[in-house]
Amino acid sequence: MFYDFQPQSRFLLGTAGYPSPDVLAQAISASGTEIITVSLRREGNAGGAFRELLKSLNTRILPNTAGCHTVKEAVTTAQMARELFNTSWIKLEVIGHADTLQPDPFALVEAARILCADGFNVFPYTTEDLIVGEKLLEAGCELLMPWGAPIGSGQGLRNIEGLRSMRAWFKGIPLIIDAGIGAPSQAAQAMEMGFDGILLNTAVAKARDPVRMAGAFASAIHAGLEAQQAGMMERRDMAAASTPIFGLAEFS
C-alpha cells in the first residue's frame, strides 16, 4: 500500500527524456505502470500539452521536486505541484551532492517534516541509511525510497548488504528502490530481496527501444515479486543432491 493506493503493478515510471510524446505514451502502456512521476520543471517547459498527455494516460501522477537543493526550494516546488496536479502526493528530492546527486539527509528530513505537516503524502528519495530512514518516518512519511545507485548511473544495487539491512529493519514499511537501476535483472534482484516497488526513468527512456524495454522491466519486476512471494531456496555453502540416495539401484 502506497499511502491510500494499492497498485497492481509495482513498477513506477518516470516521464523525462523520451524521444517523443508518442514513445512515452507507448512505453507507459507497455510497462503496465499505474504511477508515473513528473518534474514540475519538465511540465513547466512543455506547457499544457504535456499536462494533457499525462492526464490521458489513466495513471496516478507523482510530481517530484527534481533539481531542488534547499528545503525552501523543495517545499515551494511541492506546493506548486499540488496546485497544478491536484494531488497531495509528492516525490521529495533535496539534492546535496552535485556529482552523485545524493540527497542531503538533513534538508530532506526537514523538508519532509514541513510537507507532512502540510498534508502531503511524501515519497522521500533517500539513501539506505537506517537513521535517516527512521527520522523520515518520525517526520510523517509512510514509505521510503532508497537509491540503488546514483541517479542515471545504471549501476544497479551498489550496496547489497546495506539494502538488505534496510529491508530487514523496516518490516512492514513499503520500500521502493529509486534510482540507479539500469537492467531488468537488477530490478528483479531488488524485488527478490523483498522490496515493494521499483522507480526508474533513464533505463527505459534512453533505451534503443523504450517501449520494448518498458515491457522487459515490467516482466522482470513481476517475476521478482512472484519469486519472493513463492519463497526462494536458501543459499548453501556446499552441494546438496536433488535426487535422494535412498532407493537407488545397486550395481555389483
Side-chain angles (χ1 to χ4, degrees):
M1 179 75 74
F2 303 158
Y3 289 102
D4 59 342
F5 184 59
Q6 180 64 67
Q8 297 301 307
S9 169
R10 303 302 182 90
F11 189 5
L12 293 75
L13 187 60
T15 57
Y18 288 81
S20 70
D22 183 58
V23 171
L24 168 61
Q26 290 183 56
I28 289 173
S29 177
S31 73
T33 184
E34 298 162 75
I35 302 172
I36 57 174
T37 65
V38 58
S39 167
L40 185 64
R41 299 175 184 217
R42 168 72 177 88
E43 200 284 337
N45 291 335
F50 185 64
R51 186 162 66 250
E52 290 304 313
L53 171 64
L54 297 180
K55 289 181 178 178
S56 73
L57 297 174
N58 195 32
T59 57
R60 291 196 65 154
I61 294 177
L62 174 59
N64 68 46
T65 62
C68 292
H69 292 262
T70 67
V71 172
K72 182 178 180 180
E73 189 178 14
V75 170
T76 300
T77 300
Q79 292 169 340
M80 293 172 63
R82 179 167 59 183
E83 293 298 318
L84 187 61
F85 294 107
N86 191 31
T87 179
S88 61
W89 281 19
I90 192 71
K91 178 190 168 188
L92 179 61
E93 296 183 23
V94 188
I95 301 302
H97 193 272
D99 289 338
T100 64
L101 300 182
Q102 179 174 328
D104 178 336
F106 308 102
L108 178 66
V109 171
E110 183 180 351
R113 184 174 293 111
I114 293 170
L115 292 172
C116 288
D118 193 25
F120 281 89
N121 298 138
V122 177
F123 291 66
Y125 162 62
T126 183
T127 64
E128 66 277 18
D129 189 289
L130 299 183
I131 297 174
V132 176
E134 288 183 335
K135 296 298 182 182
L136 288 167
L137 296 176
E138 290 172 5
C141 300
E142 296 182 15
L143 56 77
L144 301 171
M145 301 181 72
W147 65 351
I151 294 172
S153 69
Q155 295 178 21
L157 307 181
R158 195 164 64 168
N159 182 1
I160 295 287
E161 292 308 314
L163 289 169
R164 288 190 192 280
S165 295
M166 192 174 200
R167 179 65 284 177
W169 185 257
F170 294 113
K171 289 184 173 65
I173 302 298
L175 300 180
I176 302 169
I177 295 293
D178 176 16
I181 297 295
S185 57
Q186 297 165 356
Q189 180 185 23
M191 297 304 293
E192 289 172 358
M193 289 167 58
F195 284 87
D196 299 284
I198 305 292
L199 195 162
L200 59 86
N201 188 159
T202 306
V204 169
K206 299 303 182 183
R208 183 170 60 250
D209 185 339
V211 178
R212 192 171 183 179
M213 185 61 77
F217 269 104
S219 296
I221 291 167
H222 178 71
L225 177 64
E226 288 286 292
Q228 196 278 329
Q229 292 181 343
M232 295 181 295
M233 65 172 289
E234 296 181 359
R235 290 186 60 178
R236 298 168 175 152
D237 292 332
M238 300 182 66
S242 57
T243 303
I245 297 177
F246 177 78
L248 290 179
E250 295 185 7
F251 299 95
S252 58

Short mmCIF file of all heavy atoms in Angstrom, two decimals, residues 168-230:
data_model
loop_
_atom_site.label_atom_id
_atom_site.label_comp_id
_atom_site.label_asym_id
_atom_site.label_seq_id
_atom_site.Cartn_x
_atom_site.Cartn_y
_atom_site.Cartn_z
N ALA A 168 15.29 -5.52 6.24
CA ALA A 168 15.06 -6.28 7.48
C ALA A 168 14.65 -5.37 8.63
O ALA A 168 13.82 -5.74 9.47
CB ALA A 168 16.32 -7.06 7.85
N TRP A 169 15.22 -4.17 8.67
CA TRP A 169 14.96 -3.26 9.79
C TRP A 169 13.56 -2.65 9.72
O TRP A 169 12.87 -2.54 10.72
CB TRP A 169 16.02 -2.16 9.82
CG TRP A 169 15.92 -1.25 11.00
CD1 TRP A 169 15.42 0.01 11.03
CD2 TRP A 169 16.33 -1.55 12.34
NE1 TRP A 169 15.49 0.54 12.30
CE2 TRP A 169 16.04 -0.40 13.14
CE3 TRP A 169 16.91 -2.66 12.95
CZ2 TRP A 169 16.31 -0.36 14.50
CZ3 TRP A 169 17.17 -2.61 14.31
CH2 TRP A 169 16.87 -1.46 15.06
N PHE A 170 13.15 -2.25 8.52
CA PHE A 170 11.86 -1.57 8.37
C PHE A 170 10.78 -2.55 7.92
O PHE A 170 10.21 -2.42 6.83
CB PHE A 170 12.00 -0.41 7.38
CG PHE A 170 12.89 0.70 7.87
CD1 PHE A 170 14.10 0.95 7.25
CD2 PHE A 170 12.53 1.47 8.96
CE1 PHE A 170 14.93 1.97 7.69
CE2 PHE A 170 13.35 2.50 9.42
CZ PHE A 170 14.56 2.74 8.79
N LYS A 171 10.52 -3.51 8.78
CA LYS A 171 9.48 -4.50 8.48
C LYS A 171 8.12 -3.80 8.41
O LYS A 171 7.78 -3.00 9.26
CB LYS A 171 9.44 -5.58 9.56
CG LYS A 171 10.63 -6.53 9.55
CD LYS A 171 10.46 -7.62 10.60
CE LYS A 171 11.54 -8.68 10.49
NZ LYS A 171 12.87 -8.17 10.79
N GLY A 172 7.35 -4.12 7.39
CA GLY A 172 6.01 -3.56 7.27
C GLY A 172 5.97 -2.18 6.64
O GLY A 172 4.88 -1.66 6.39
N ILE A 173 7.12 -1.57 6.39
CA ILE A 173 7.18 -0.25 5.75
C ILE A 173 7.43 -0.44 4.26
O ILE A 173 8.39 -1.11 3.87
CB ILE A 173 8.30 0.62 6.35
CG1 ILE A 173 8.09 0.80 7.86
CG2 ILE A 173 8.37 1.97 5.64
CD1 ILE A 173 6.80 1.51 8.23
N PRO A 174 6.59 0.12 3.39
CA PRO A 174 6.87 0.00 1.95
C PRO A 174 8.20 0.64 1.59
O PRO A 174 8.47 1.78 1.96
CB PRO A 174 5.69 0.74 1.31
CG PRO A 174 4.60 0.72 2.34
CD PRO A 174 5.31 0.80 3.65
N LEU A 175 9.02 -0.10 0.87
CA LEU A 175 10.32 0.38 0.41
C LEU A 175 10.38 0.25 -1.10
O LEU A 175 10.19 -0.85 -1.64
CB LEU A 175 11.46 -0.42 1.04
CG LEU A 175 11.58 -0.42 2.57
CD1 LEU A 175 12.77 -1.28 3.01
CD2 LEU A 175 11.72 0.99 3.11
N ILE A 176 10.65 1.35 -1.78
CA ILE A 176 10.71 1.38 -3.24
C ILE A 176 12.12 1.78 -3.66
O ILE A 176 12.60 2.84 -3.25
CB ILE A 176 9.70 2.40 -3.80
CG1 ILE A 176 8.27 2.05 -3.35
CG2 ILE A 176 9.78 2.47 -5.32
CD1 ILE A 176 7.26 3.16 -3.65
N ILE A 177 12.77 0.95 -4.46
CA ILE A 177 14.09 1.31 -4.97
C ILE A 177 13.93 2.42 -6.00
O ILE A 177 13.19 2.28 -6.97
CB ILE A 177 14.80 0.10 -5.60
CG1 ILE A 177 15.11 -0.96 -4.54
CG2 ILE A 177 16.08 0.54 -6.31
CD1 ILE A 177 16.14 -0.54 -3.51
N ASP A 178 14.63 3.51 -5.78
CA ASP A 178 14.52 4.69 -6.64
C ASP A 178 15.92 5.13 -7.05
O ASP A 178 16.70 5.58 -6.22
CB ASP A 178 13.80 5.81 -5.88
CG ASP A 178 13.73 7.11 -6.66
OD1 ASP A 178 13.95 7.08 -7.88
OD2 ASP A 178 13.45 8.15 -6.04
N ALA A 179 16.23 4.98 -8.32
CA ALA A 179 17.48 5.47 -8.92
C ALA A 179 18.54 4.39 -9.01
O ALA A 179 18.71 3.57 -8.10
CB ALA A 179 18.05 6.67 -8.16
N GLY A 180 19.25 4.42 -10.14
CA GLY A 180 20.40 3.57 -10.35
C GLY A 180 20.14 2.26 -11.04
O GLY A 180 21.08 1.56 -11.42
N ILE A 181 18.87 1.88 -11.22
CA ILE A 181 18.56 0.62 -11.88
C ILE A 181 18.77 0.78 -13.39
O ILE A 181 18.19 1.67 -14.01
CB ILE A 181 17.11 0.18 -11.59
CG1 ILE A 181 16.92 -0.09 -10.09
CG2 ILE A 181 16.74 -1.05 -12.41
CD1 ILE A 181 17.73 -1.25 -9.56
N GLY A 182 19.57 -0.12 -13.97
CA GLY A 182 19.88 0.00 -15.38
C GLY A 182 19.45 -1.18 -16.22
O GLY A 182 19.40 -1.09 -17.45
N ALA A 183 19.14 -2.32 -15.59
CA ALA A 183 18.78 -3.53 -16.33
C ALA A 183 17.63 -4.24 -15.64
O ALA A 183 17.51 -4.19 -14.41
CB ALA A 183 19.98 -4.46 -16.43
N PRO A 184 16.79 -4.93 -16.40
CA PRO A 184 15.69 -5.68 -15.79
C PRO A 184 16.15 -6.67 -14.72
O PRO A 184 15.46 -6.87 -13.72
CB PRO A 184 15.05 -6.39 -16.99
CG PRO A 184 15.30 -5.46 -18.14
CD PRO A 184 16.69 -4.93 -17.89
N SER A 185 17.31 -7.29 -14.92
CA SER A 185 17.81 -8.25 -13.93
C SER A 185 18.06 -7.58 -12.58
O SER A 185 17.86 -8.20 -11.52
CB SER A 185 19.10 -8.90 -14.43
OG SER A 185 20.08 -7.92 -14.72
N GLN A 186 18.48 -6.33 -12.60
CA GLN A 186 18.71 -5.59 -11.35
C GLN A 186 17.39 -5.31 -10.64
O GLN A 186 17.30 -5.37 -9.41
CB GLN A 186 19.45 -4.29 -11.66
CG GLN A 186 20.83 -4.49 -12.26
CD GLN A 186 21.39 -3.21 -12.87
OE1 GLN A 186 20.72 -2.18 -12.93
NE2 GLN A 186 22.64 -3.27 -13.33
N ALA A 187 16.37 -5.00 -11.42
CA ALA A 187 15.05 -4.77 -10.83
C ALA A 187 14.49 -6.04 -10.22
O ALA A 187 13.93 -6.04 -9.12
CB ALA A 187 14.09 -4.23 -11.90
N ALA A 188 14.66 -7.17 -10.93
CA ALA A 188 14.20 -8.45 -10.40
C ALA A 188 14.92 -8.78 -9.09
O ALA A 188 14.32 -9.28 -8.14
CB ALA A 188 14.44 -9.55 -11.43
N GLN A 189 16.23 -8.50 -9.04
CA GLN A 189 17.00 -8.77 -7.83
C GLN A 189 16.44 -8.01 -6.63
O GLN A 189 16.31 -8.56 -5.54
CB GLN A 189 18.47 -8.39 -8.07
CG GLN A 189 19.37 -8.63 -6.87
CD GLN A 189 20.78 -8.13 -7.10
OE1 GLN A 189 21.03 -7.25 -7.93
NE2 GLN A 189 21.74 -8.69 -6.37
N ALA A 190 16.11 -6.74 -6.84
CA ALA A 190 15.56 -5.94 -5.75
C ALA A 190 14.22 -6.50 -5.27
O ALA A 190 13.96 -6.57 -4.06
CB ALA A 190 15.40 -4.49 -6.19
N MET A 191 13.39 -6.92 -6.20
CA MET A 191 12.10 -7.48 -5.82
C MET A 191 12.27 -8.81 -5.09
O MET A 191 11.55 -9.11 -4.14
CB MET A 191 11.22 -7.65 -7.05
CG MET A 191 10.87 -6.35 -7.77
SD MET A 191 10.07 -5.11 -6.72
CE MET A 191 8.50 -5.92 -6.37
N GLU A 192 13.24 -9.61 -5.51
CA GLU A 192 13.51 -10.88 -4.83
C GLU A 192 13.98 -10.64 -3.40
O GLU A 192 13.77 -11.48 -2.52
CB GLU A 192 14.59 -11.66 -5.60
CG GLU A 192 14.09 -12.22 -6.92
CD GLU A 192 15.21 -12.81 -7.76
OE1 GLU A 192 16.39 -12.75 -7.31
OE2 GLU A 192 14.93 -13.32 -8.86
N MET A 193 14.60 -9.49 -3.15
CA MET A 193 15.06 -9.15 -1.80
C MET A 193 13.93 -8.68 -0.90
O MET A 193 14.13 -8.47 0.29
CB MET A 193 16.13 -8.06 -1.89
CG MET A 193 17.46 -8.53 -2.45
SD MET A 193 18.59 -7.16 -2.88
CE MET A 193 18.74 -6.31 -1.31
N GLY A 194 12.75 -8.48 -1.48
CA GLY A 194 11.60 -8.09 -0.66
C GLY A 194 11.20 -6.65 -0.76
O GLY A 194 10.35 -6.19 0.01
N PHE A 195 11.80 -5.91 -1.70
CA PHE A 195 11.37 -4.52 -1.88
C PHE A 195 10.00 -4.48 -2.54
O PHE A 195 9.57 -5.44 -3.19
CB PHE A 195 12.43 -3.74 -2.67
CG PHE A 195 13.62 -3.40 -1.83
CD1 PHE A 195 14.68 -4.30 -1.70
CD2 PHE A 195 13.68 -2.20 -1.12
CE1 PHE A 195 15.77 -4.01 -0.89
CE2 PHE A 195 14.77 -1.90 -0.31
CZ PHE A 195 15.80 -2.80 -0.19
N ASP A 196 9.31 -3.37 -2.35
CA ASP A 196 7.90 -3.29 -2.72
C ASP A 196 7.65 -2.66 -4.08
O ASP A 196 6.52 -2.66 -4.57
CB ASP A 196 7.14 -2.51 -1.65
CG ASP A 196 7.21 -3.18 -0.30
OD1 ASP A 196 6.51 -4.18 -0.11
OD2 ASP A 196 8.01 -2.74 0.55
N GLY A 197 8.68 -2.10 -4.69
CA GLY A 197 8.49 -1.48 -5.98
C GLY A 197 9.80 -0.95 -6.52
O GLY A 197 10.81 -0.86 -5.81
N ILE A 198 9.78 -0.60 -7.81
CA ILE A 198 10.94 -0.05 -8.50
C ILE A 198 10.52 1.22 -9.23
O ILE A 198 9.54 1.21 -9.99
CB ILE A 198 11.51 -1.04 -9.54
CG1 ILE A 198 11.82 -2.40 -8.91
CG2 ILE A 198 12.72 -0.43 -10.23
CD1 ILE A 198 12.96 -2.38 -7.92
N LEU A 199 11.24 2.31 -9.00
CA LEU A 199 11.01 3.53 -9.75
C LEU A 199 12.25 3.79 -10.60
O LEU A 199 13.37 3.83 -10.08
CB LEU A 199 10.76 4.72 -8.81
CG LEU A 199 10.16 5.98 -9.46
CD1 LEU A 199 9.55 6.89 -8.39
CD2 LEU A 199 11.18 6.78 -10.27
N LEU A 200 12.05 3.94 -11.90
CA LEU A 200 13.18 4.24 -12.78
C LEU A 200 12.69 5.09 -13.94
O LEU A 200 11.50 5.21 -14.20
CB LEU A 200 13.84 2.95 -13.26
CG LEU A 200 12.98 1.95 -14.04
CD1 LEU A 200 12.95 2.26 -15.53
CD2 LEU A 200 13.52 0.53 -13.83
N ASN A 201 13.65 5.66 -14.65
CA ASN A 201 13.34 6.51 -15.79
C ASN A 201 14.34 6.28 -16.93
O ASN A 201 14.00 5.82 -18.01
CB ASN A 201 13.34 7.97 -15.36
CG ASN A 201 12.85 8.95 -16.41
OD1 ASN A 201 12.44 10.06 -16.11
ND2 ASN A 201 12.87 8.60 -17.69
N THR A 202 15.61 6.57 -16.66
CA THR A 202 16.63 6.61 -17.70
C THR A 202 16.77 5.28 -18.44
O THR A 202 16.93 5.25 -19.66
CB THR A 202 17.98 7.01 -17.11
OG1 THR A 202 17.84 8.23 -16.39
CG2 THR A 202 19.02 7.19 -18.20
N ALA A 203 16.71 4.16 -17.72
CA ALA A 203 16.93 2.85 -18.33
C ALA A 203 15.91 2.55 -19.41
O ALA A 203 16.19 1.81 -20.36
CB ALA A 203 16.91 1.75 -17.27
N VAL A 204 14.71 3.12 -19.29
CA VAL A 204 13.69 2.94 -20.32
C VAL A 204 13.77 4.06 -21.35
O VAL A 204 13.81 3.82 -22.56
CB VAL A 204 12.28 2.89 -19.70
CG1 VAL A 204 11.20 2.98 -20.78
CG2 VAL A 204 12.10 1.61 -18.89
N ALA A 205 13.81 5.29 -20.88
CA ALA A 205 13.76 6.44 -21.79
C ALA A 205 14.93 6.46 -22.77
O ALA A 205 14.77 6.88 -23.93
CB ALA A 205 13.74 7.74 -20.99
N LYS A 206 16.10 6.02 -22.35
CA LYS A 206 17.30 6.09 -23.19
C LYS A 206 17.63 4.76 -23.86
O LYS A 206 18.68 4.64 -24.49
CB LYS A 206 18.49 6.57 -22.36
CG LYS A 206 18.30 7.97 -21.76
CD LYS A 206 18.01 9.01 -22.82
CE LYS A 206 17.87 10.40 -22.23
NZ LYS A 206 17.53 11.42 -23.25
N ALA A 207 16.76 3.78 -23.74
CA ALA A 207 16.99 2.50 -24.43
C ALA A 207 16.84 2.68 -25.94
O ALA A 207 16.19 3.61 -26.41
CB ALA A 207 16.00 1.46 -23.92
N ARG A 208 17.43 1.77 -26.70
CA ARG A 208 17.28 1.84 -28.15
C ARG A 208 15.81 1.70 -28.54
O ARG A 208 15.34 2.33 -29.48
CB ARG A 208 18.12 0.74 -28.80
CG ARG A 208 18.09 0.77 -30.33
CD ARG A 208 19.10 -0.18 -30.94
NE ARG A 208 18.86 -1.57 -30.56
CZ ARG A 208 19.64 -2.27 -29.73
NH1 ARG A 208 20.71 -1.71 -29.20
NH2 ARG A 208 19.36 -3.52 -29.44
N ASP A 209 15.09 0.87 -27.79
CA ASP A 209 13.65 0.69 -28.00
C ASP A 209 12.95 0.85 -26.65
O ASP A 209 12.78 -0.13 -25.91
CB ASP A 209 13.37 -0.70 -28.58
CG ASP A 209 11.90 -0.92 -28.95
OD1 ASP A 209 11.04 -0.18 -28.41
OD2 ASP A 209 11.62 -1.82 -29.76
N PRO A 210 12.57 2.07 -26.27
CA PRO A 210 11.98 2.30 -24.95
C PRO A 210 10.72 1.49 -24.68
O PRO A 210 10.50 1.04 -23.55
CB PRO A 210 11.68 3.81 -24.97
CG PRO A 210 12.63 4.38 -25.96
CD PRO A 210 12.75 3.33 -27.02
N VAL A 211 9.91 1.28 -25.68
CA VAL A 211 8.66 0.54 -25.48
C VAL A 211 8.96 -0.92 -25.13
O VAL A 211 8.40 -1.47 -24.18
CB VAL A 211 7.77 0.63 -26.74
CG1 VAL A 211 6.50 -0.18 -26.56
CG2 VAL A 211 7.44 2.08 -27.06
N ARG A 212 9.85 -1.51 -25.87
CA ARG A 212 10.22 -2.90 -25.59
C ARG A 212 10.90 -3.03 -24.24
O ARG A 212 10.68 -3.98 -23.49
CB ARG A 212 11.12 -3.42 -26.71
CG ARG A 212 11.35 -4.91 -26.69
CD ARG A 212 12.07 -5.36 -27.95
NE ARG A 212 12.23 -6.80 -28.00
CZ ARG A 212 12.82 -7.45 -29.00
NH1 ARG A 212 13.29 -6.75 -30.04
NH2 ARG A 212 12.93 -8.76 -28.97
N MET A 213 11.76 -2.05 -23.90
CA MET A 213 12.45 -2.09 -22.62
C MET A 213 11.47 -1.93 -21.46
O MET A 213 11.63 -2.57 -20.41
CB MET A 213 13.51 -0.99 -22.55
CG MET A 213 14.38 -1.03 -21.29
SD MET A 213 15.32 -2.57 -21.13
CE MET A 213 16.64 -2.26 -22.31
N ALA A 214 10.45 -1.10 -21.64
CA ALA A 214 9.43 -0.95 -20.59
C ALA A 214 8.75 -2.27 -20.32
O ALA A 214 8.50 -2.65 -19.16
CB ALA A 214 8.42 0.11 -21.01
N GLY A 215 8.45 -3.01 -21.37
CA GLY A 215 7.84 -4.33 -21.20
C GLY A 215 8.77 -5.30 -20.52
O GLY A 215 8.34 -6.13 -19.70
N ALA A 216 10.07 -5.23 -20.85
CA ALA A 216 11.05 -6.11 -20.23
C ALA A 216 11.14 -5.86 -18.73
O ALA A 216 11.20 -6.80 -17.92
CB ALA A 216 12.42 -5.92 -20.88
N PHE A 217 11.16 -4.58 -18.34
CA PHE A 217 11.20 -4.26 -16.91
C PHE A 217 9.92 -4.73 -16.20
O PHE A 217 9.97 -5.23 -15.08
CB PHE A 217 11.40 -2.76 -16.71
CG PHE A 217 12.84 -2.35 -16.60
CD1 PHE A 217 13.49 -1.73 -17.65
CD2 PHE A 217 13.56 -2.61 -15.45
CE1 PHE A 217 14.81 -1.35 -17.56
CE2 PHE A 217 14.89 -2.23 -15.33
CZ PHE A 217 15.53 -1.61 -16.40
N ALA A 218 8.78 -4.56 -16.85
CA ALA A 218 7.53 -4.99 -16.24
C ALA A 218 7.57 -6.49 -15.95
O ALA A 218 7.17 -6.95 -14.87
CB ALA A 218 6.36 -4.65 -17.15
N SER A 219 8.07 -7.27 -16.91
CA SER A 219 8.15 -8.72 -16.72
C SER A 219 9.12 -9.08 -15.60
O SER A 219 8.85 -9.96 -14.78
CB SER A 219 8.60 -9.39 -18.03
OG SER A 219 7.65 -9.19 -19.06
N ALA A 220 10.26 -8.40 -15.56
CA ALA A 220 11.27 -8.69 -14.55
C ALA A 220 10.78 -8.36 -13.14
O ALA A 220 11.00 -9.12 -12.19
CB ALA A 220 12.55 -7.92 -14.85
N ILE A 221 10.12 -7.23 -13.01
CA ILE A 221 9.61 -6.83 -11.70
C ILE A 221 8.54 -7.80 -11.22
O ILE A 221 8.52 -8.20 -10.05
CB ILE A 221 9.07 -5.38 -11.76
CG1 ILE A 221 10.24 -4.40 -11.95
CG2 ILE A 221 8.26 -5.02 -10.51
CD1 ILE A 221 9.82 -3.00 -12.33
N HIS A 222 7.68 -8.20 -12.12
CA HIS A 222 6.64 -9.18 -11.76
C HIS A 222 7.27 -10.51 -11.38
O HIS A 222 6.88 -11.14 -10.38
CB HIS A 222 5.67 -9.37 -12.93
CG HIS A 222 4.61 -10.39 -12.67
ND1 HIS A 222 3.57 -10.17 -11.78
CD2 HIS A 222 4.43 -11.65 -13.16
CE1 HIS A 222 2.79 -11.23 -11.73
NE2 HIS A 222 3.29 -12.15 -12.56
N ALA A 223 8.27 -10.96 -12.14
CA ALA A 223 8.92 -12.23 -11.84
C ALA A 223 9.62 -12.18 -10.49
O ALA A 223 9.57 -13.14 -9.71
CB ALA A 223 9.93 -12.57 -12.95
N GLY A 224 10.30 -11.08 -10.20
CA GLY A 224 10.98 -10.95 -8.92
C GLY A 224 10.01 -10.98 -7.75
O GLY A 224 10.28 -11.60 -6.71
N LEU A 225 8.88 -10.31 -7.91
CA LEU A 225 7.85 -10.31 -6.86
C LEU A 225 7.28 -11.71 -6.65
O LEU A 225 7.13 -12.16 -5.52
CB LEU A 225 6.74 -9.33 -7.24
CG LEU A 225 5.54 -9.26 -6.28
CD1 LEU A 225 5.97 -8.75 -4.91
CD2 LEU A 225 4.45 -8.38 -6.87
N GLU A 226 6.98 -12.39 -7.76
CA GLU A 226 6.44 -13.75 -7.66
C GLU A 226 7.43 -14.68 -6.98
O GLU A 226 7.05 -15.51 -6.14
CB GLU A 226 6.11 -14.27 -9.06
CG GLU A 226 4.88 -13.64 -9.70
CD GLU A 226 3.61 -14.14 -9.06
OE1 GLU A 226 3.27 -15.32 -9.22
OE2 GLU A 226 2.94 -13.33 -8.37
N ALA A 227 8.70 -14.55 -7.32
CA ALA A 227 9.72 -15.41 -6.72
C ALA A 227 9.83 -15.16 -5.22
O ALA A 227 9.92 -16.10 -4.42
CB ALA A 227 11.07 -15.16 -7.39
N GLN A 228 9.81 -13.89 -4.83
CA GLN A 228 9.92 -13.56 -3.41
C GLN A 228 8.72 -14.09 -2.63
O GLN A 228 8.86 -14.65 -1.55
CB GLN A 228 10.05 -12.04 -3.24
CG GLN A 228 10.53 -11.59 -1.88
CD GLN A 228 9.42 -11.53 -0.85
OE1 GLN A 228 8.27 -11.27 -1.19
NE2 GLN A 228 9.77 -11.76 0.40
N GLN A 229 7.55 -13.95 -3.19
CA GLN A 229 6.34 -14.40 -2.50
C GLN A 229 6.23 -15.92 -2.48
O GLN A 229 5.63 -16.49 -1.57
CB GLN A 229 5.11 -13.77 -3.16
CG GLN A 229 5.03 -12.26 -2.95
CD GLN A 229 3.80 -11.62 -3.57
OE1 GLN A 229 3.14 -12.21 -4.44
NE2 GLN A 229 3.48 -10.41 -3.15
N ALA A 230 6.81 -16.58 -3.50
CA ALA A 230 6.77 -18.04 -3.55
C ALA A 230 7.71 -18.66 -2.52
O ALA A 230 7.50 -19.80 -2.07
CB ALA A 230 7.14 -18.53 -4.95
#
